[in-house]
Amino acid sequence: MAPRALLQISNALRYNPAMAKNIIKQASVLREDIRRHDYAYYVLGKPVISDREYDKLFAELKAMEVEHPELVTPDSPTQRVGEQPIEGFEHVTHSIPMLSVDNTYDETQLREFDLRVAKGLGGESYRYVVEPKVDGVAVSLVYERGMLVLAATRGDGETGDDITHNVRTVPSVPLRLFGEDVPELLEVRGEVCWPWDAFRAFNAKREEAGEPTFANPRNATTGSLKQLDPRNVTGRGLQFVAHGLGRVEPLRARTQSELFASLKKWGIPTSPYSVEVDLIEEVIAKLEKWDRRRESLPYETDGLVIKIDALDQRDVLGATSRYPRWCIAYKFAAEQAETVLLDVELQVGKTGVITPVAKLDPVHLAGTTISNASLHNFDQIERLDVRVGDRVIIEKAGEIIPQVVGVVLQKRNKHARAIGPPLNCPSCGGKTSWEPIKPGHRAYHCTNKKCELYLNRRQRKNIPDRCRMITKNTDRGCDNSVQEVDHMVDLICTNPECQARVIEGIAHFASRDNMDIEGLGNVWTEKLVKERLLRSIADIYRLEIRYKEKLDQMPGLGAKSLDRLFQGIEESKKKPLARVLAGLRIGDIGLATAELLANEFGDMKSLSQASIARLMEIDGIGKELTERIVTYFQSEEGERTWKELSDRGVNMTQAKREVAADSPIAGKTVVVTGTLQSMDRKQIQDLIKQLGGKSAGSVSKKTDLVVYGESAGSKLDKARELGVEAIDEKEFLKRIGKS
Ligand code: IVH
């Protein structure tokens, strides 16, 4: 127990030091117990007590901390559930770039990789480790003196986002490491994934609540980690699996196998399926066995990763600009089945996009019975030349909804019916049209079947030679050539009053992440739209009057639920501007960007009048987004909607974060390192934000100031190396006028 905690003990206890000591001791013992049980459960997979007993211990600690809040330490197991949402994501520069891994699809390519390794190591002997390739989201965890101080996404490999608040809620990520020999600095890299069981349970709950379900665990994990509010992530059942290293000081392990043994000892979960092999032929001989085993693994995997075990040999082999030369991924082929395409259903979804969905004669595939499959879009239907009545090949590639990947032409029946894009919307009968290419732009798709841009299209000012596009947050596409096309891929219903469009738009506006109107989920929105009680988003705020006029014609909602609905609607009027912006999907933005805009403009009117130049000035708002925002406010529908909402009493403002005019750190990027005496990390981060500064997790050339406390380590060294100003806690307090 830190001496500081003793000093901060509450008044009541201060008069009785013996009792204080006792309570501190008890809390500390409880915490340690809980940590041990977490370790046994998440890392060793062998719980020693029942869930009930565990819950009891947890409740006991929680009760103690409620009674004596001064006892709470940041690494207490109770502190996983974040209390406060963050305002936006801070960028983090990785100490060593987070590269991705080159892919292979067959034995020949694996042998070629092995030959390159052998050559690179000049005749030295070597050994591989082989692990399942976890299909999750790559993250980096930084521990300083055993305490978790930062979790970041991969981003573009150089810079990612600080997602510490969400990763802290992942129960298998230790907040504090065990053991005596924990390195000063340990950066572990791995995947956050969503094990099937927990993922299915979560989807089932969403379905029950009438909310849309997630298509696959990986995308849903990405979405989870992008939440601003960590309370949304708690209890989802995400997991962490370590597979590599960033910076470690001092580094004692010589091989990955040694390293994994240490990580496990310190409490970090590694892959239990990692094996060591001497020859690539041993890997090749077992490919089929690994492939079969996939189904029984608790989380989704899409291949194997084969890596050199010895860390010094990894250094010898080095990396190209994108991939390390010491490792390779082998991607499994997706499982397939053959069945009959009974029909094609047209679904009208988000913003009026019409999507074809294959209705199949039910068939068994990779553990489930399939009766629906995705056809993606009309482009793909034409390319595959698939017709109703055909025998088709379906495949599961990480998606819950499988896809139609081919037609067995030899078995085509002469009555098979071709499917083209409909001229009219299947929901409202309105005219359909292809999503146009933006003025001044050209559209293309990739010619490589395996590339995601084969199914999709992209628009840019010029057609590139190759498909790959690398920007701050994306590294998408491949190195193949592209082909120009004359319209975008989506077929859209042009009628803004189309019921399907209206339903989706209202449900999005009312959803929990946006205006949070209880009772207005998909099911009820659909009913109310079909009864014509709701025809637009603005109608929500007229619903009570209309409903009362039409009351007896609309059975189904009890008086209590109705009250709750109307109350929810009334309360939503007070939501801050950012929620309205995200709810209206202005420029297709999410909440994080909406927060940025709301803070910048303060009210809807100013935002609606903002020029392109003004929007482009904002850090985090690019050109495309700017254009979409301006287009929204120039459109008749956009203007009418927000003005109607405003007329009906929906709040259109948001207080700017107060920044003292004389703040010495306004606009500056500040990094805090080491242990501070006067406050904890969260408090100082909040203070920095309040004073108009940005608090970042790692030191780079962009850092303006480093504030260091006791036993500051590598970050302080880095600041000195880069010539970034570094001041101690006392000096910082003086500058901001707090001492
Ligand atoms: S080793 C330099 N091992 O797959 C990167 N990566 O597609 C060395 N991945 O970026 C990575 N499971 O995020 C490694 N067992 C595993 C993995 C794994 C999943 C991810 C990793 C990597 C991506 C490449």
Side-chain angles (χ1 to χ4, degrees), residues 327-463:
C327 90
I328 196 113
Y330 170 81
K331 297 284 262 271
F332 296 131
E335 285 189 65
Q336 297 190 329
E338 189 186 310
T339 184
V340 179
L341 177 65
L342 299 176
D343 200 2
V344 172
E345 190 182 278
L346 300 176
Q347 293 179 348
V348 190
K350 250 186 198 169
T351 54
V353 176
I354 301 169
T355 319
V357 176
K359 298 277 143 185
L360 305 167
D361 191 11
V363 62
H364 203 70
L365 174 65
T368 44
T369 304
I370 310 296
S371 43
N372 293 318
S374 170
L375 281 161
H376 295 286
N377 49 50
F378 294 97
D379 231 23
Q380 177 70 349
I381 293 184
E382 191 183 321
R383 236 185 254 150
L384 294 173
D385 182 26
V386 54
R387 304 182 188 179
V388 171
D390 273 344
R391 290 198 73 83
V392 292
I393 307 292
I394 58 168
E395 196 174 282
K396 253 192 185 176
E399 309 292 315
I400 283 188
I401 304 193
Q403 8 218 320
V404 175
V405 294
V407 177
V408 190
L409 283 175
Q410 304 90 305
K411 296 189 190 162
R412 172 165 285 167
N413 178 317
K414 63 177 190 294
H415 301 298
R417 173 165 58 86
I419 318 141
L423 297 174
N424 298 91
C425 169
S427 169
C428 71
K431 276 214 162 46
T432 62
S433 96
W434 295 109
E435 183 197 345
I437 300 167
K438 278 188 291 190
H441 285 63
R442 295 162 72 185
Y444 62 90
H445 76 94
C446 181
T447 54
N448 170 15
K449 268 192 175 176
K450 289 209 166 116
C451 176
E452 58 183 317
L453 274 184
Y454 179 73
L455 291 171
N456 228 312
R457 295 176 178 188
R458 180 179 275 160
Q459 46 186 331
R460 314 209 78 192
K461 287 253 157 74
N462 293 306
I463 303 284

Side-chain angles (χ1 to χ4, degrees), residues 270-564:
T270 56
S271 175
Y273 313 104
S274 182
V275 294
E276 295 159 33
V277 299
D278 287 326
L279 296 170
I280 201 76
E281 290 307 324
E282 292 175 51
V283 182
I284 291 172
K286 285 191 192 140
L287 287 176
E288 253 182 54
K289 195 178 120 208
W290 283 91
D291 195 348
R292 275 198 308 274
R293 219 175 67 181
R294 267 171 96 185
E295 261 188 62
S296 60
L297 297 190
Y299 37 69
E300 165 124 69
T301 60
D302 58 347
L304 298 174
V305 184
I306 299 133
K307 347 178 196 180
I308 286 290
D309 194 19
L311 303 181
D312 59 347
Q313 290 185 330
R314 291 184 179 183
D315 290 341
V316 171
L317 290 166
T320 69
S321 64
R322 276 193 284 134
Y323 309 124
R325 293 199 187 85
W326 48 263
C327 90
I328 196 113
Y330 170 81
K331 297 284 262 271
F332 296 131
E335 285 189 65
Q336 297 190 329
E338 189 186 310
T339 184
V340 179
L341 177 65
L342 299 176
D343 200 2
V344 172
E345 190 182 278
L346 300 176
Q347 293 179 348
V348 190
K350 250 186 198 169
T351 54
V353 176
I354 301 169
T355 319
V357 176
K359 298 277 143 185
L360 305 167
D361 191 11
V363 62
H364 203 70
L365 174 65
T368 44
T369 304
I370 310 296
S371 43
N372 293 318
S374 170
L375 281 161
H376 295 286
N377 49 50
F378 294 97
D379 231 23
Q380 177 70 349
I381 293 184
E382 191 183 321
R383 236 185 254 150
L384 294 173
D385 182 26
V386 54
R387 304 182 188 179
V388 171
D390 273 344
R391 290 198 73 83
V392 292
I393 307 292
I394 58 168
E395 196 174 282
K396 253 192 185 176
E399 309 292 315
I400 283 188
I401 304 193
Q403 8 218 320
V404 175
V405 294
V407 177
V408 190
L409 283 175
Q410 304 90 305
K411 296 189 190 162
R412 172 165 285 167
N413 178 317
K414 63 177 190 294
H415 301 298
R417 173 165 58 86
I419 318 141
L423 297 174
N424 298 91
C425 169
S427 169
C428 71
K431 276 214 162 46
T432 62
S433 96
W434 295 109
E435 183 197 345
I437 300 167
K438 278 188 291 190
H441 285 63
R442 295 162 72 185
Y444 62 90
H445 76 94
C446 181
T447 54
N448 170 15
K449 268 192 175 176
K450 289 209 166 116
C451 176
E452 58 183 317
L453 274 184
Y454 179 73
L455 291 171
N456 228 312
R457 295 176 178 188
R458 180 179 275 160
Q459 46 186 331
R460 314 209 78 192
K461 287 253 157 74
N462 293 306
I463 303 284
D465 297 335
R466 284 157 172 237
C467 151
R468 181 172 295 276
M469 182 166 96
I470 303 182
T471 64
K472 197 151 192 56
N473 292 314
T474 53
D475 176 356
R476 291 175 57 192
C478 69
D479 296 326
N480 273 61
S481 61
V482 302
Q483 189 176 5
E484 184 161 8
V485 285
D486 59 6
H487 56 78
M488 294 307 285
V489 80
D490 286 333
L491 185 72
I492 293 169
C493 169
T494 57
N495 172 15
E497 279 159 30
C498 169
Q499 269 196 2
R501 290 186 62 173
V502 173
I503 293 169
E504 214 280 333
I506 294 177
H508 176 81
F509 182 81
S511 68
R512 234 176 76 193
D513 287 347
N514 298 318
M515 297 300 268
D516 194 14
I517 305 179
E518 212 189 322
L520 208 52
N522 282 16
V523 176
W524 272 99
T525 305
E526 189 172 337
K527 283 189 188 168
L528 292 165
V529 170
K530 290 208 161 135
E531 286 295 323
R532 306 197 66 72
L533 280 159
L534 285 180
R535 276 177 236 181
S536 67
I537 289 178
D539 274 355
I540 297 175
Y541 298 95
R542 251 191 314 222
L543 184 63
E544 189 162 0
I545 302 174
R546 282 221 194 131
Y547 197 99
K548 292 203 164 137
E549 285 166 4
K550 222 184 150 173
L551 197 59
D552 25 324
Q553 298 164 46
M554 176 80 192
L557 264 186
K560 251 201 189 145
S561 326
L562 264 185
D563 274 352
R564 228 184 34 216

Side-chain angles (χ1 to χ4, degrees), residues 97-103 130-139 154 189-191 241-245 256 260 271 301-307 314 322-324 326-329 331:
M98 286 181 81
L99 300 178
S100 75
V101 178
D102 202 4
N103 288 326
V130 183
E131 289 157 21
K133 187 170 179 309
V134 183
D135 202 10
V137 178
V139 299
R154 176 171 174 268
R189 291 174 176 176
E191 299 294 292
V241 185
H243 53 57
L245 280 185
Q256 174 174 310
F260 271 28
S271 175
T301 60
D302 58 347
L304 298 174
V305 184
I306 299 133
K307 347 178 196 180
R314 291 184 179 183
R322 276 193 284 134
Y323 309 124
W326 48 263
C327 90
I328 196 113
K331 297 284 262 271

Side-chain angles (χ1 to χ4, degrees), residues 10-29:
S10 73
N11 277 341
L13 290 177
R14 204 176 275 162
Y15 299 117
N16 189 344
M19 190 176 143
K21 246 188 175 158
N22 197 9
I23 289 181
I24 293 170
K25 181 101 215 296
Q26 273 180 32
S28 148
V29 168

